[in-house]
């Protein structure tokens, strides 16, 4: 079990280092759009008068949308 955990952490470390390599300035500028949209999405979720469950779901949707948007720009 310890080997599986160590291997998983090693793979995740390698992938995170690979994904955070310097990108071109145009890809960075387009990725900034993702973070701007994410910030607006989170503030709308917090400002809504929905319950705790709906707010949590909206925050999850915001995070998933950020991941999809950011990964889409790193493939360019």
């Amino acid at each position: 079990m310890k080997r599986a955990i160590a291997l998983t952490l090693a793979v995740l470390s390698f992938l995170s280092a690979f994904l955070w390599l310097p990108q071109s300035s145009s890809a960075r500028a387009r990725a900034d759009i993702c973070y701007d949209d994410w910030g607006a999405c989170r503030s709308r979720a917090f400002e809504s008068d929905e319950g705790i469950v709906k707010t949590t779901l909206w925050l999850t949707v915001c995070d998933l949308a950020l991941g999809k948007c950011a990964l889409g720009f790193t493939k360019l």
Side-chain angles (χ1 to χ4, degrees):
M1 186 67 174
K2 289 182 182 181
R3 287 183 186 170
I5 292 172
L7 180 63
T8 303
L9 289 175
V11 168
L12 289 175
S13 298
F14 177 73
L15 288 176
S16 65
F18 178 72
L19 290 175
W20 289 108
L21 289 175
Q23 300 174 359
S24 66
S25 62
S26 64
R28 247 181 280 136
R30 287 179 285 185
D32 286 342
I33 296 169
C34 296
Y35 289 104
D36 292 341
D37 291 344
W38 176 71
C41 181
R42 288 183 60 85
S43 54
R44 279 193 306 267
F46 283 125
E47 291 172 358
S48 68
D49 286 334
E50 301 294 332
I52 293 173
V53 174
K54 283 189 178 181
T55 302
T56 304
L57 288 174
W58 276 116
L59 291 172
T60 304
V61 168
C62 294
D63 292 340
L64 291 174
L66 172 67
K68 182 179 178 184
C69 183
L71 288 176
F73 285 135
T74 57
K75 291 179 183 178
L76 294 176

